[in-house]
Amino acid sequence: MQTNGVDVMMATIPENLLYASGFRSLSQWLIRGQKTLAVAVIKFNGEVTLIAPSGELDRAACDPPVVDHIIAFDTVTVEPGDEAIWLAEDWRYANMVLVSNRPKDLWEAFALAGIPDEACVAIDDPDLAQAYRQRYQTQVTDARPLWLQSRLIKTPEEVNRLRRAVEITEIAFLHTINAVQVGISEKELAIIFNMAVVKAGGDPYLAVIGAGTYGAYPNHIPGDYCIKAGDLIRWDMGCSYQGYVADIARTTCVGKPNKLQTERWEAVLAGQMAALNAIYPGQLAAEVYSIGMQAARENGLPDIKRKHIGHGIGIDMYEPPSISPNETLSLEAGMVFELEVLFYELGFGSVQVEDTIHVTPDGYERFTTLPHSLIIIDN
Protein backbone atom coordinates (compact mmCIF):
# COMPACT_ATOMS: atom_id res chain seq x y z
CA MET A 1 0.00 0.00 0.00
CA GLN A 2 2.68 2.45 0.97
CA THR A 3 4.31 2.23 -2.46
CA ASN A 4 1.07 3.81 -3.73
CA GLY A 5 1.05 6.47 -1.02
CA VAL A 6 -1.90 4.81 0.74
CA ASP A 7 -2.12 4.33 4.50
CA VAL A 8 -5.47 2.54 4.70
CA MET A 9 -7.33 0.43 2.12
CA MET A 10 -11.03 -0.33 2.36
CA ALA A 11 -12.82 -3.19 0.62
CA THR A 12 -16.59 -3.00 0.14
CA ILE A 13 -17.15 -4.64 -3.26
CA PRO A 14 -18.11 -8.25 -2.39
CA GLU A 15 -15.18 -9.80 -4.26
CA ASN A 16 -12.67 -7.46 -2.63
CA LEU A 17 -14.29 -7.95 0.77
CA LEU A 18 -13.92 -11.72 0.45
CA TYR A 19 -10.32 -11.38 -0.70
CA ALA A 20 -9.35 -8.96 2.08
CA SER A 21 -11.09 -10.65 5.00
CA GLY A 22 -12.49 -14.04 4.02
CA PHE A 23 -15.96 -12.69 4.84
CA ARG A 24 -18.86 -13.34 2.48
CA SER A 25 -21.67 -10.88 3.11
CA LEU A 26 -24.86 -12.27 1.55
CA SER A 27 -26.66 -8.92 1.50
CA GLN A 28 -23.65 -7.18 -0.03
CA TRP A 29 -23.81 -9.64 -2.94
CA LEU A 30 -27.58 -9.32 -3.33
CA ILE A 31 -27.84 -5.51 -3.25
CA ARG A 32 -24.56 -4.86 -5.01
CA GLY A 33 -24.02 -1.17 -5.69
CA GLN A 34 -27.07 0.01 -3.76
CA LYS A 35 -25.71 0.35 -0.24
CA THR A 36 -22.44 -0.31 1.55
CA LEU A 37 -22.95 -2.72 4.42
CA ALA A 38 -19.72 -4.50 5.29
CA VAL A 39 -16.23 -3.01 5.02
CA ALA A 40 -12.79 -4.53 5.50
CA VAL A 41 -10.32 -1.90 6.72
CA ILE A 42 -6.64 -2.70 6.20
CA LYS A 43 -4.04 -0.43 7.79
CA PHE A 44 -0.50 0.01 6.48
CA ASN A 45 0.79 -2.37 9.20
CA GLY A 46 -1.37 -5.18 7.80
CA GLU A 47 -3.96 -5.10 10.58
CA VAL A 48 -7.41 -6.04 9.25
CA THR A 49 -10.67 -4.89 10.82
CA LEU A 50 -14.04 -6.13 9.59
CA ILE A 51 -16.92 -3.68 10.07
CA ALA A 52 -20.43 -4.99 9.43
CA PRO A 53 -24.04 -4.62 10.56
CA SER A 54 -25.02 -6.97 13.36
CA GLY A 55 -27.47 -8.71 11.07
CA GLU A 56 -24.71 -9.69 8.63
CA LEU A 57 -22.35 -11.25 11.14
CA ASP A 58 -24.18 -14.55 11.52
CA ARG A 59 -22.05 -15.66 8.58
CA ALA A 60 -18.92 -14.67 10.47
CA ALA A 61 -20.09 -16.83 13.37
CA CYS A 62 -20.48 -19.89 11.15
CA ASP A 63 -17.50 -19.22 8.86
CA PRO A 64 -15.03 -17.07 10.82
CA PRO A 65 -13.21 -14.48 8.69
CA VAL A 66 -9.45 -14.03 8.77
CA VAL A 67 -9.24 -10.65 10.52
CA ASP A 68 -7.73 -9.08 13.62
CA HIS A 69 -10.84 -7.25 14.81
CA ILE A 70 -14.59 -7.30 14.17
CA ILE A 71 -16.78 -4.27 14.83
CA ALA A 72 -20.54 -4.77 14.70
CA PHE A 73 -22.88 -1.82 14.33
CA ASP A 74 -26.62 -1.19 14.06
CA THR A 75 -29.51 -2.81 15.92
CA VAL A 76 -29.46 -6.49 16.84
CA THR A 77 -32.69 -8.07 15.58
CA VAL A 78 -32.03 -11.62 16.81
CA GLU A 79 -33.36 -12.39 20.29
CA PRO A 80 -30.76 -13.97 22.61
CA GLY A 81 -32.96 -16.76 23.97
CA ASP A 82 -31.65 -19.28 26.48
CA GLU A 83 -27.84 -19.36 26.74
CA ALA A 84 -28.01 -22.88 28.15
CA ILE A 85 -28.86 -24.30 24.72
CA TRP A 86 -26.61 -22.07 22.60
CA LEU A 87 -24.36 -23.68 20.00
CA ALA A 88 -20.71 -22.70 19.61
CA GLU A 89 -21.74 -20.50 16.68
CA ASP A 90 -24.33 -18.78 18.90
CA TRP A 91 -21.63 -17.85 21.39
CA ARG A 92 -19.39 -16.49 18.64
CA TYR A 93 -22.27 -14.44 17.25
CA ALA A 94 -23.23 -13.11 20.68
CA ASN A 95 -19.64 -12.12 21.45
CA MET A 96 -19.55 -10.08 18.24
CA VAL A 97 -22.90 -8.30 18.42
CA LEU A 98 -24.17 -8.33 22.02
CA VAL A 99 -21.76 -5.68 23.27
CA SER A 100 -22.66 -2.61 25.29
CA ASN A 101 -20.64 -0.09 23.28
CA ARG A 102 -21.83 -1.23 19.85
CA PRO A 103 -21.73 1.75 17.42
CA LYS A 104 -25.04 2.78 15.91
CA ASP A 105 -23.81 3.28 12.34
CA LEU A 106 -20.89 2.86 9.95
CA TRP A 107 -19.36 6.24 10.81
CA GLU A 108 -19.17 5.46 14.51
CA ALA A 109 -17.63 2.12 13.58
CA PHE A 110 -14.96 3.89 11.51
CA ALA A 111 -14.09 5.97 14.58
CA LEU A 112 -13.54 2.78 16.60
CA ALA A 113 -11.32 1.33 13.87
CA GLY A 114 -8.57 3.80 14.76
CA ILE A 115 -7.98 5.33 11.34
CA PRO A 116 -5.60 8.31 11.72
CA ASP A 117 -7.11 11.68 10.76
CA GLU A 118 -4.26 12.43 8.37
CA ALA A 119 -4.31 9.01 6.68
CA CYS A 120 -4.57 8.70 2.91
CA VAL A 121 -7.47 6.29 2.46
CA ALA A 122 -8.26 4.18 -0.62
CA ILE A 123 -11.89 3.05 -1.01
CA ASP A 124 -13.36 0.87 -3.77
CA ASP A 125 -16.91 2.29 -3.54
CA PRO A 126 -17.13 5.74 -5.23
CA ASP A 127 -20.18 6.81 -3.19
CA LEU A 128 -18.58 5.86 0.12
CA ALA A 129 -15.32 7.49 -0.99
CA GLN A 130 -17.09 10.78 -1.69
CA ALA A 131 -18.97 10.68 1.62
CA TYR A 132 -15.77 9.84 3.53
CA ARG A 133 -13.88 12.68 1.84
CA GLN A 134 -16.60 15.20 2.66
CA ARG A 135 -17.00 14.04 6.25
CA TYR A 136 -13.34 13.90 7.23
CA GLN A 137 -11.84 16.40 4.76
CA THR A 138 -9.03 13.96 4.05
CA GLN A 139 -7.34 12.52 0.98
CA VAL A 140 -9.29 9.63 -0.54
CA THR A 141 -8.26 7.69 -3.63
CA ASP A 142 -9.81 4.94 -5.74
CA ALA A 143 -8.96 1.48 -4.38
CA ARG A 144 -10.39 -0.51 -7.29
CA PRO A 145 -7.17 -0.70 -9.35
CA LEU A 146 -5.20 -1.45 -6.18
CA TRP A 147 -7.44 -4.39 -5.34
CA LEU A 148 -7.22 -5.74 -8.89
CA GLN A 149 -3.44 -5.53 -8.67
CA SER A 150 -3.46 -7.25 -5.27
CA ARG A 151 -5.62 -10.09 -6.57
CA LEU A 152 -3.51 -10.68 -9.68
CA ILE A 153 -1.03 -13.06 -8.01
CA LYS A 154 -2.82 -15.84 -6.16
CA THR A 155 -1.88 -17.01 -2.68
CA PRO A 156 -1.34 -20.74 -2.03
CA GLU A 157 -4.81 -20.91 -0.43
CA GLU A 158 -6.40 -19.28 -3.47
CA VAL A 159 -4.57 -21.70 -5.75
CA ASN A 160 -5.89 -24.64 -3.72
CA ARG A 161 -9.47 -23.38 -3.92
CA LEU A 162 -9.24 -22.79 -7.67
CA ARG A 163 -7.74 -26.23 -8.20
CA ARG A 164 -10.53 -27.82 -6.17
CA ALA A 165 -13.19 -25.89 -8.11
CA VAL A 166 -11.78 -27.39 -11.33
CA GLU A 167 -11.70 -30.88 -9.79
CA ILE A 168 -15.37 -30.62 -8.79
CA THR A 169 -16.31 -29.38 -12.26
CA GLU A 170 -14.52 -32.30 -13.90
CA ILE A 171 -16.19 -34.81 -11.57
CA ALA A 172 -19.59 -33.37 -12.48
CA PHE A 173 -18.79 -33.35 -16.20
CA LEU A 174 -17.63 -36.97 -16.27
CA HIS A 175 -20.75 -37.97 -14.36
CA THR A 176 -23.02 -36.04 -16.74
CA ILE A 177 -21.64 -37.34 -20.03
CA ASN A 178 -22.59 -40.84 -18.89
CA ALA A 179 -26.20 -39.66 -19.07
CA VAL A 180 -25.92 -38.35 -22.65
CA GLN A 181 -28.09 -40.26 -25.07
CA VAL A 182 -30.20 -39.49 -28.09
CA GLY A 183 -33.41 -37.82 -26.92
CA ILE A 184 -32.21 -36.28 -23.66
CA SER A 185 -32.53 -32.50 -23.50
CA GLU A 186 -29.90 -29.88 -22.77
CA LYS A 187 -31.94 -28.80 -19.75
CA GLU A 188 -31.93 -32.32 -18.32
CA LEU A 189 -28.16 -32.51 -18.74
CA ALA A 190 -27.74 -29.16 -16.95
CA ILE A 191 -29.80 -30.43 -14.01
CA ILE A 192 -27.68 -33.59 -13.78
CA PHE A 193 -24.49 -31.52 -13.96
CA ASN A 194 -25.54 -29.04 -11.28
CA MET A 195 -26.69 -31.81 -8.94
CA ALA A 196 -23.33 -33.53 -9.38
CA VAL A 197 -21.55 -30.26 -8.55
CA VAL A 198 -23.45 -30.00 -5.27
CA LYS A 199 -22.80 -33.65 -4.42
CA ALA A 200 -19.06 -33.13 -4.99
CA GLY A 201 -18.97 -30.13 -2.63
CA GLY A 202 -19.33 -27.13 -4.94
CA ASP A 203 -21.98 -24.54 -5.67
CA PRO A 204 -23.58 -24.44 -9.17
CA TYR A 205 -22.24 -21.49 -11.12
CA LEU A 206 -21.93 -22.13 -14.86
CA ALA A 207 -23.52 -24.69 -17.17
CA VAL A 208 -23.55 -23.55 -20.79
CA ILE A 209 -24.49 -26.78 -22.58
CA GLY A 210 -25.18 -26.16 -26.26
CA ALA A 211 -25.93 -29.06 -28.60
CA GLY A 212 -26.02 -29.03 -32.38
CA THR A 213 -26.36 -25.56 -33.83
CA TYR A 214 -27.11 -24.17 -30.35
CA GLY A 215 -23.43 -24.63 -29.58
CA ALA A 216 -22.81 -21.51 -31.67
CA TYR A 217 -24.56 -19.33 -29.08
CA PRO A 218 -21.79 -18.14 -26.71
CA ASN A 219 -24.09 -17.63 -23.70
CA HIS A 220 -26.60 -20.36 -24.43
CA ILE A 221 -29.07 -21.28 -21.70
CA PRO A 222 -29.71 -25.04 -21.82
CA GLY A 223 -33.18 -25.55 -23.22
CA ASP A 224 -35.59 -28.17 -24.50
CA TYR A 225 -33.52 -29.16 -27.53
CA CYS A 226 -33.08 -32.93 -27.50
CA ILE A 227 -29.76 -34.49 -28.43
CA LYS A 228 -29.48 -36.10 -31.86
CA ALA A 229 -26.96 -38.56 -33.24
CA GLY A 230 -24.01 -36.69 -34.74
CA ASP A 231 -24.46 -33.60 -32.56
CA LEU A 232 -21.49 -31.73 -31.22
CA ILE A 233 -22.12 -30.58 -27.64
CA ARG A 234 -20.19 -27.62 -26.25
CA TRP A 235 -19.75 -27.79 -22.49
CA ASP A 236 -18.65 -24.45 -21.01
CA MET A 237 -18.94 -25.21 -17.33
CA GLY A 238 -17.82 -24.42 -13.83
CA CYS A 239 -18.72 -24.14 -10.19
CA SER A 240 -17.89 -22.07 -7.14
CA TYR A 241 -15.87 -23.48 -4.27
CA GLN A 242 -15.41 -21.44 -1.09
CA GLY A 243 -15.83 -18.23 -3.07
CA TYR A 244 -13.54 -19.15 -6.00
CA VAL A 245 -14.81 -20.21 -9.41
CA ALA A 246 -13.96 -22.63 -12.18
CA ASP A 247 -14.54 -22.13 -15.90
CA ILE A 248 -13.47 -24.96 -18.19
CA ALA A 249 -14.75 -26.33 -21.49
CA ARG A 250 -14.72 -29.44 -23.62
CA THR A 251 -16.50 -30.60 -26.77
CA THR A 252 -18.21 -33.96 -27.15
CA CYS A 253 -19.69 -35.67 -30.19
CA VAL A 254 -22.63 -38.06 -30.05
CA GLY A 255 -21.31 -40.84 -32.21
CA LYS A 256 -18.53 -40.65 -34.77
CA PRO A 257 -17.70 -37.08 -35.86
CA ASN A 258 -17.85 -36.19 -39.54
CA LYS A 259 -14.93 -34.81 -41.54
CA LEU A 260 -15.78 -31.12 -40.98
CA GLN A 261 -16.29 -31.58 -37.25
CA THR A 262 -12.96 -33.38 -36.96
CA GLU A 263 -11.07 -30.79 -39.00
CA ARG A 264 -12.40 -27.87 -37.02
CA TRP A 265 -11.72 -29.58 -33.72
CA GLU A 266 -8.14 -30.30 -34.78
CA ALA A 267 -7.64 -26.65 -35.75
CA VAL A 268 -8.90 -25.42 -32.38
CA LEU A 269 -6.76 -27.96 -30.55
CA ALA A 270 -3.68 -26.90 -32.55
CA GLY A 271 -4.26 -23.34 -31.39
CA GLN A 272 -4.70 -24.44 -27.78
CA MET A 273 -1.54 -26.54 -27.75
CA ALA A 274 0.56 -23.84 -29.41
CA ALA A 275 -0.64 -21.29 -26.86
CA LEU A 276 0.08 -23.69 -23.99
CA ASN A 277 3.61 -24.21 -25.24
CA ALA A 278 4.15 -20.43 -25.22
CA ILE A 279 3.36 -19.99 -21.50
CA TYR A 280 6.20 -19.10 -19.15
CA PRO A 281 6.94 -16.30 -16.65
CA GLY A 282 7.85 -13.10 -18.47
CA GLN A 283 5.95 -13.98 -21.63
CA LEU A 284 3.60 -11.29 -22.89
CA ALA A 285 -0.06 -12.30 -22.62
CA ALA A 286 -0.58 -10.70 -26.03
CA GLU A 287 2.09 -12.98 -27.51
CA VAL A 288 0.30 -16.08 -26.20
CA TYR A 289 -2.83 -14.82 -27.99
CA SER A 290 -0.95 -14.28 -31.26
CA ILE A 291 0.69 -17.71 -31.18
CA GLY A 292 -2.58 -19.51 -30.42
CA MET A 293 -4.58 -17.69 -33.07
CA GLN A 294 -1.90 -18.15 -35.72
CA ALA A 295 -1.78 -21.91 -35.09
CA ALA A 296 -5.57 -22.22 -35.34
CA ARG A 297 -5.57 -20.29 -38.62
CA GLU A 298 -2.74 -22.31 -40.10
CA ASN A 299 -4.39 -25.61 -39.18
CA GLY A 300 -7.79 -25.22 -40.78
CA LEU A 301 -9.57 -22.10 -39.50
CA PRO A 302 -8.08 -19.26 -41.58
CA ASP A 303 -10.95 -16.88 -40.77
CA ILE A 304 -11.26 -17.52 -37.03
CA LYS A 305 -11.89 -14.34 -35.04
CA ARG A 306 -11.51 -14.00 -31.28
CA LYS A 307 -11.20 -10.88 -29.13
CA HIS A 308 -9.38 -12.98 -26.55
CA ILE A 309 -8.42 -16.60 -25.97
CA GLY A 310 -8.27 -16.45 -22.20
CA HIS A 311 -8.81 -14.49 -19.03
CA GLY A 312 -7.72 -14.43 -15.43
CA ILE A 313 -9.90 -16.19 -12.89
CA GLY A 314 -10.31 -16.18 -9.12
CA ILE A 315 -13.18 -14.81 -7.08
CA ASP A 316 -14.46 -13.34 -10.35
CA MET A 317 -14.75 -15.35 -13.53
CA TYR A 318 -13.08 -12.55 -15.47
CA GLU A 319 -9.99 -11.03 -13.88
CA PRO A 320 -6.66 -9.82 -15.29
CA PRO A 321 -4.76 -10.83 -17.29
CA SER A 322 -6.65 -11.00 -20.56
CA ILE A 323 -5.04 -13.23 -23.17
CA SER A 324 -5.75 -10.72 -25.91
CA PRO A 325 -3.91 -8.59 -28.46
CA ASN A 326 -4.22 -5.38 -26.42
CA GLU A 327 -3.12 -6.78 -23.04
CA THR A 328 0.09 -5.14 -21.81
CA LEU A 329 0.73 -7.48 -18.87
CA SER A 330 3.40 -10.16 -18.87
CA LEU A 331 2.74 -13.51 -17.24
CA GLU A 332 4.04 -13.90 -13.68
CA ALA A 333 4.38 -16.89 -11.39
CA GLY A 334 1.24 -17.13 -9.28
CA MET A 335 -1.18 -15.94 -11.95
CA VAL A 336 -4.13 -18.23 -12.69
CA PHE A 337 -5.99 -17.84 -15.95
CA GLU A 338 -8.19 -19.61 -18.47
CA LEU A 339 -6.86 -20.52 -21.91
CA GLU A 340 -9.59 -21.15 -24.47
CA VAL A 341 -9.46 -21.47 -28.22
CA LEU A 342 -12.91 -21.92 -29.77
CA PHE A 343 -14.88 -21.52 -32.96
CA TYR A 344 -18.57 -20.67 -33.41
CA GLU A 345 -20.60 -20.92 -36.62
CA LEU A 346 -24.36 -20.72 -37.06
CA GLY A 347 -25.72 -23.94 -38.49
CA PHE A 348 -22.57 -25.81 -37.45
CA GLY A 349 -22.33 -25.23 -33.72
CA SER A 350 -19.04 -24.93 -31.90
CA VAL A 351 -15.80 -26.60 -30.96
CA GLN A 352 -14.11 -25.41 -27.78
CA VAL A 353 -11.39 -26.42 -25.37
CA GLU A 354 -10.64 -24.45 -22.20
CA ASP A 355 -8.03 -25.16 -19.55
CA THR A 356 -7.22 -23.54 -16.21
CA ILE A 357 -3.55 -22.56 -16.07
CA HIS A 358 -1.40 -21.72 -13.04
CA VAL A 359 1.84 -19.97 -13.97
CA THR A 360 4.79 -21.42 -12.03
CA PRO A 361 8.41 -20.20 -11.73
CA ASP A 362 9.53 -22.67 -14.42
CA GLY A 363 6.46 -22.79 -16.67
CA TYR A 364 2.90 -23.68 -15.83
CA GLU A 365 0.63 -26.18 -14.11
CA ARG A 366 -2.60 -27.22 -15.81
CA PHE A 367 -5.39 -27.73 -13.28
CA THR A 368 -7.58 -29.28 -15.96
CA THR A 369 -6.95 -33.02 -16.28
CA LEU A 370 -9.57 -33.87 -18.92
CA PRO A 371 -8.03 -35.20 -22.14
CA HIS A 372 -7.22 -32.91 -25.04
CA SER A 373 -9.39 -34.79 -27.48
CA LEU A 374 -12.81 -34.59 -29.07
CA ILE A 375 -14.72 -36.78 -26.63
CA ILE A 376 -16.84 -39.39 -28.41
CA ILE A 377 -20.06 -40.42 -26.64
CA ASP A 378 -21.59 -43.71 -27.70
CA ASN A 379 -23.98 -44.54 -24.84
Side-chain angles (χ1 to χ4, degrees), residues 235-248:
W235 307 75
D236 192 357
M237 53 198 165
C239 73
S240 175
Y241 175 72
Q242 295 185 356
Y244 286 75
V245 299
D247 174 21
I248 65 174

Side-chain angles (χ1 to χ4, degrees), residues 205-247:
Y205 187 84
L206 175 68
V208 176
I209 302 172
T213 189
Y214 290 105
Y217 299 161
N219 305 301
H220 181 58
I221 298 173
D224 295 326
Y225 175 80
C226 293
I227 306 301
K228 296 181 174 62
D231 276 349
L232 291 176
I233 307 175
R234 181 173 70 91
W235 307 75
D236 192 357
M237 53 198 165
C239 73
S240 175
Y241 175 72
Q242 295 185 356
Y244 286 75
V245 299
D247 174 21

Side-chain angles (χ1 to χ4, degrees), residues 25-45:
S25 167
L26 177 61
S27 298
Q28 198 103 325
W29 287 97
L30 295 177
I31 62 171
R32 175 190 296 270
Q34 298 179 36
K35 182 180 180 182
T36 296
L37 295 173
V39 182
V41 177
I42 302 181
K43 298 179 183 177
F44 67 88
N45 61 1

Side-chain angles (χ1 to χ4, degrees), residues 148-229:
L148 279 177
Q149 180 65 31
S150 297
R151 290 164 51 190
L152 188 61
I153 305 300
K154 297 332 189 217
T155 66
E157 175 60 25
E158 289 181 291
V159 168
N160 288 337
R161 293 187 188 189
L162 288 165
R163 183 185 289 111
R164 182 56 184 160
V166 171
E167 290 172 352
I168 291 170
T169 302
E170 292 190 335
I171 290 169
F173 169 69
L174 292 172
H175 173 77
T176 306
I177 62 174
N178 287 326
V180 174
Q181 58 183 333
V182 172
I184 195 170
S185 71
E186 297 169 336
K187 187 181 295 183
E188 289 173 302
L189 292 175
I191 291 170
I192 294 169
F193 174 81
N194 286 329
M195 289 179 64
V197 163
V198 173
K199 187 175 181 179
D203 297 317
Y205 187 84
L206 175 68
V208 176
I209 302 172
T213 189
Y214 290 105
Y217 299 161
N219 305 301
H220 181 58
I221 298 173
D224 295 326
Y225 175 80
C226 293
I227 306 301
K228 296 181 174 62

Side-chain angles (χ1 to χ4, degrees), residues 40-232:
V41 177
I42 302 181
K43 298 179 183 177
F44 67 88
N45 61 1
E47 186 178 87
V48 182
T49 299
L50 174 65
I51 300 173
S54 300
E56 287 295 295
L57 287 173
D58 58 324
R59 285 209 161 193
C62 297
D63 186 12
V66 185
V67 298
D68 299 293
H69 310 286
I70 296 176
I71 300 175
F73 67 89
D74 206 356
T75 304
V76 179
T77 57
V78 177
E79 299 300 327
D82 183 0
E83 294 182 11
I85 58 173
W86 280 5
L87 302 174
E89 292 87 349
D90 298 330
W91 282 104
R92 282 198 293 268
Y93 183 61
N95 288 333
M96 286 186 286
V97 304
L98 298 180
V99 293
S100 58
N101 62 340
R102 185 179 63 254
K104 70 176 187 296
D105 58 26
L106 184 60
W107 300 109
E108 286 191 5
F110 280 148
L112 288 179
I115 302 171
D117 293 340
E118 70 281 2
C120 176
V121 179
I123 303 176
D124 61 358
D125 176 352
D127 292 336
L128 179 61
Q130 182 178 1
Y132 194 96
R133 186 183 298 111
Q134 291 174 347
R135 188 180 186 95
Y136 295 108
Q137 297 297 304
T138 190
Q139 183 180 357
V140 179
T141 188
D142 186 357
R144 287 172 294 182
L146 301 180
W147 283 119
L148 279 177
Q149 180 65 31
S150 297
R151 290 164 51 190
L152 188 61
I153 305 300
K154 297 332 189 217
T155 66
E157 175 60 25
E158 289 181 291
V159 168
N160 288 337
R161 293 187 188 189
L162 288 165
R163 183 185 289 111
R164 182 56 184 160
V166 171
E167 290 172 352
I168 291 170
T169 302
E170 292 190 335
I171 290 169
F173 169 69
L174 292 172
H175 173 77
T176 306
I177 62 174
N178 287 326
V180 174
Q181 58 183 333
V182 172
I184 195 170
S185 71
E186 297 169 336
K187 187 181 295 183
E188 289 173 302
L189 292 175
I191 291 170
I192 294 169
F193 174 81
N194 286 329
M195 289 179 64
V197 163
V198 173
K199 187 175 181 179
D203 297 317
Y205 187 84
L206 175 68
V208 176
I209 302 172
T213 189
Y214 290 105
Y217 299 161
N219 305 301
H220 181 58
I221 298 173
D224 295 326
Y225 175 80
C226 293
I227 306 301
K228 296 181 174 62
D231 276 349
L232 291 176

